[in-house]
Amino acid sequence: MDLDDRKKTILKAIIQTYLETGEPVGSRTISKYTDLNLSSATIRNEMSDLEEMGYILQPHTSAGRIPSDKGYRLYVDELMQEKEQEVTEIKELMIEKTDRLEKVLKQVVRVLASNTNYATMITGPVYHQTKLKFIQLSRVTETQVLAVIVAEGNLMKNQLIDLEEAIDDEQLLKLNLLLNTQLNGLTLGEISLEMIQRMKQQAGIHSKVIGQVVDTVAEAIQGDEEDTPIYTSGATNIFKYPELADTTRASQLISALEDKRELVDMLKETSPGEDDASGTGIQIYIGKESPIQTMSDCSVVTASYDLGEGMKGTIGIIGPKRMDYENVVDNLKTLKVQLDSIFKKKDEPGT
Amino acid sequence: MDLDDRKKTILKAIIQTYLETGEPVGSRTISKYTDLNLSSATIRNEMSDLEEMGYILQPHTSAGRIPSDKGYRLYVDELMQEKEQEVTEIKELMIEKTDRLEKVLKQVVRVLASNTNYATMITGPVYHQTKLKFIQLSRVTETQVLAVIVAEGNLMKNQLIDLEEAIDDEQLLKLNLLLNTQLNGLTLGEISLEMIQRMKQQAGIHSKVIGQVVDTVAEAIQGDEEDTPIYTSGATNIFKYPELADTTRASQLISALEDKRELVDMLKETSPGEDDASGTGIQIYIGKESPIQTMSDCSVVTASYDLGEGMKGTIGIIGPKRMDYENVVDNLKTLKVQLDSIFKKKDEPGT
DNA sequence: TATTAGCACTCTATTTTGTTGAGTGCTAAC
DNA sequence: GTTAGCACTCAACAAAATAGAGTGCTAATA
């Protein structure tokens, strides 16, 4: 059987109506809704075909049709038209410009959640590719040394080191120099254990203290890998969609959002390089396509962002399968533009 | 009418049964449950009295009784017996010892949530009373200066300052000295705007750069006030209690937990000094007593913790009114002991 | 006087049955 | 190929019937 234009038009109409109402769509509705000027009977025949082809399905014999995952997929890939760019330009997401990346991210999830009415999440940047800019050790008390590590993208890290024995100023100075000359300019990922070992030997095997300091610094640099921060917002939006709002499902979803650990993997999967056909870096997972099991009744839209200086991360939006894909995609695009404008502006004078 | 011992026993039995089952308790149940050896008819009479006195109430004519807020109050204040200390000793909450306060707090909420099956939250320390230990400015690039601020309790704060014009080493050194001599030993709360003004003048009005640095540092110190971090866990536990699990209520509660802003006020209200009769710093809010409106169907148990060095904060547990108060209180007590042992051990050698 | 057995009564929760209406599939006519 | 018409299906809702837990009251009992 052939999926001709008329079938597509009908499918599109079915899906769009269903996106709005969330109720199975009957033949009569479509007959009126479209400008095809076909009777409900004809539509019924076409719907029957569409069902056979797997694009729509019937919850029960005497109900209208709802889109299947396959139907949604087709809609997202072909049928859905993007909003005109003008609209995008006009809508300005209310994001306050601030230096603190963390604050920006928190705002972003919030704005997205309230704009789309879906649950949203965003990963903080993965710093693996970020270059080390600056390390400094300074003495706080006799036996306490503070290590401050600064990397590109203004990633900063503190580590207070309690020493077993005192360290003198000269040693500290030497260490500072050593750390900086050896590590500066390397990406956090490049700093390996062997390198640390070598440095420890160069610094002088005789001193336990030095070893301790180097170890702690190394730990601080590497430790960041595991716990990428994730911010979420609008988890309770899922209650707005009856098909997700039953206690067990909602509970699972919210737990997943609260827990965040699972999310990391999912968002990492959307590797920042991997772009979709349109080159926007936006990916749509429908139903079972979703990487997380608990979300197989949902759709997940992810987008990667790149703020320069190795600050890359991922945004995710979770909603019902009948989510307003156009709006979501549109929002994400607008967001990208704005993030760029916030951060590029900041970078230009520096570069 | 008099609330004699027998009435108390019956009330206690009613409440305890209700805590377990969540269903209205009938006279027959009590007649069998207690060792009073009274017939259900007698119990009925007593229950009738208890209802008149306002300790229990009937959801409808032909149902059993459930405790009223007043009933719970009496139970919590008088009837509930604390578990023996032994039990407390045995139970060891699985808290990994780590330096990072933040990690400890995250663990604490998690453990508490899974131990109690209620939603939990904890505020990070309020640093208002914490003394400044150490400030250091260091140059990162020509026009970038990094300020590191360390206060008691190992509170650390970084602030990268983008300068409008370059600053030379000498000036930086001078500033470092000035900041340290002026501010060291003061609590974060004591550092006022006037003080900053005065310092700026002393440092030399001629230089905009110096003003900028001082301003930013001041901002960093004060800025912390507003956004005390709050960690939450087990929000979805509320779905375990049918009386809270309906969509609207659950949604409100979870939103409150996600949003956190409201929580701050609530937890602040439990001022760390304010202890209850037993001197444990544990407070119980039943139903409408709760400071937050959305939680008027819940009970909230709060406890303050004090880790020394000005690190004080509050823990909160949110559950249904029929929460297992004994278990919650017990858990909180155990937790206090453990937190002490983690942090005191760390402090001793230093002191 | 306090306790208890017994019984009528109340009220929710559950099940059963009936009714409605949206929507389909099929057939026959256009 | 399209459409009108009709019988049929099935969820959703409403009404009625039933069951059972629990009460309050009265009268008998210790």
Side-chain angles (χ1 to χ4, degrees), chain B residues 179-311:
Chain B
L179 285 169
N180 274 293
T181 46
Q182 292 280 327
L183 300 181
N184 265 7
L186 293 178
T187 70
L188 267 35
E190 284 168 356
I191 297 171
S192 66
L193 268 184
E194 302 145 53
M195 188 172 286
I196 301 296
Q197 276 306 336
R198 208 154 2 98
M199 273 182 50
K200 262 161 82 175
Q201 292 192 348
Q202 267 183 50
I205 329 149
H206 50 287
S207 165
K208 258 166 69 186
V209 183
I210 292 177
Q212 202 188 340
V213 172
V214 176
D215 274 344
T216 323
V217 171
E219 218 170 87
I221 291 174
Q222 313 224 298
D224 218 52
E225 278 304 284
E226 279 107 62
D227 39 20
T228 330
I230 294 197
Y231 307 101
T232 58
S233 179
T236 47
N237 277 331
I238 61 173
F239 287 113
K240 288 177 182 156
Y241 309 95
E243 63 265 50
L244 301 178
D246 70 296
T247 338
T248 34
R249 223 185 298 269
S251 173
Q252 283 180 342
L253 280 174
I254 295 178
S255 288
L257 286 168
E258 191 188 47
D259 212 25
K260 288 167 187 182
R261 279 172 295 195
E262 263 189 302
L263 301 182
V264 182
D265 304 331
M266 174 167 91
L267 293 177
K268 262 188 189 153
E269 196 155 298
T270 308
S271 59
E274 185 182 330
D275 280 15
D276 75 332
S278 53
T280 51
I282 294 175
Q283 281 197 308
I284 300 179
Y285 302 91
I286 296 160
K288 304 254 183 314
E289 297 170 7
S290 156
I292 295 187
Q293 234 253 296
T294 29
M295 296 183 182
S296 57
D297 300 310
C298 306
S299 281
V300 181
V301 181
T302 62
S304 56
Y305 67 86
D306 183 348
L307 269 29
E309 298 207 331
M311 295 188 291

Side-chain angles (χ1 to χ4, degrees), chain A residues 20-73:
Chain A
E20 278 173 38
T21 65
E23 308 258 288
V25 184
S27 54
R28 228 177 135 243
T29 316
I30 299 302
S31 159
K32 283 186 292 183
Y33 183 78
T34 57
D35 42 4
L36 286 168
N37 276 88
L38 291 172
S39 80
S40 61
T42 315
I43 304 287
R44 271 205 290 285
N45 290 329
E46 294 289 44
M47 281 167 106
S48 181
D49 291 353
L50 283 170
E51 181 165 9
E52 207 178 312
M53 290 188 266
Y55 292 109
I56 53 180
L57 36 86
Q58 243 179 331
H60 58 264
T61 328
S62 67
R65 306 302 214 286
I66 62 175
S68 68
D69 284 13
K70 187 176 170 189
Y72 280 124
R73 182 85 268 164

Side-chain angles (χ1 to χ4, degrees), chain A residues 100 103 110 133-134 136 138-140 144 146 148 150 154 156-160 162 227 232-236 239 245 247 250-251 254-255 258-259 261 346, chain B residues 100 103 110 133-134 136 138-140 144 146 148 150 154 156-160 162 227 232-236 239 245 247 250-251 254-255 258-259 261 346:
Chain A
R100 293 241 151 230
K103 280 196 181 159
R110 235 181 218 158
K133 263 164 82 176
F134 175 74
Q136 175 161 46
S138 23
R139 183 207 308 300
V140 178
Q144 251 186 349
L146 175 68
V148 182
V150 183
N154 292 348
M156 290 179 279
K157 199 143 180 154
N158 294 328
Q159 183 71 49
L160 212 48
D162 279 309
D227 38 20
T232 59
S233 179
T236 47
F239 288 113
T247 338
S251 173
I254 295 179
S255 288
E258 190 189 47
D259 211 24
R261 279 173 295 195
K346 249 204 82 209
Chain B
R100 291 243 153 229
K103 281 196 180 156
R110 233 179 220 161
K133 262 164 83 175
F134 175 73
Q136 175 161 47
S138 21
R139 184 207 309 300
V140 179
Q144 251 187 349
L146 175 68
V148 181
V150 184
N154 292 349
M156 289 178 280
K157 201 148 176 150
N158 293 328
Q159 182 72 48
L160 211 49
D162 279 310
D227 39 20
T232 58
S233 179
T236 47
F239 287 113
T247 338
S251 173
I254 295 178
S255 288
E258 191 188 47
D259 212 25
R261 279 172 295 195
K346 249 205 81 207

Side-chain angles (χ1 to χ4, degrees), chain A residues 225-287:
Chain A
E225 278 303 285
E226 278 107 62
D227 38 20
T228 329
I230 293 198
Y231 306 101
T232 59
S233 179
T236 47
N237 276 332
I238 62 174
F239 288 113
K240 289 177 181 155
Y241 309 96
E243 63 265 50
L244 302 178
D246 70 296
T247 338
T248 33
R249 222 185 299 269
S251 173
Q252 283 181 341
L253 280 174
I254 295 179
S255 288
L257 286 169
E258 190 189 47
D259 211 24
K260 288 167 189 183
R261 279 173 295 195
E262 262 189 304
L263 300 184
V264 183
D265 304 331
M266 174 167 92
L267 292 177
K268 261 188 191 153
E269 195 154 299
T270 308
S271 59
E274 185 184 329
D275 280 15
D276 75 333
S278 53
T280 51
I282 293 175
Q283 282 198 308
I284 300 180
Y285 302 91
I286 296 161

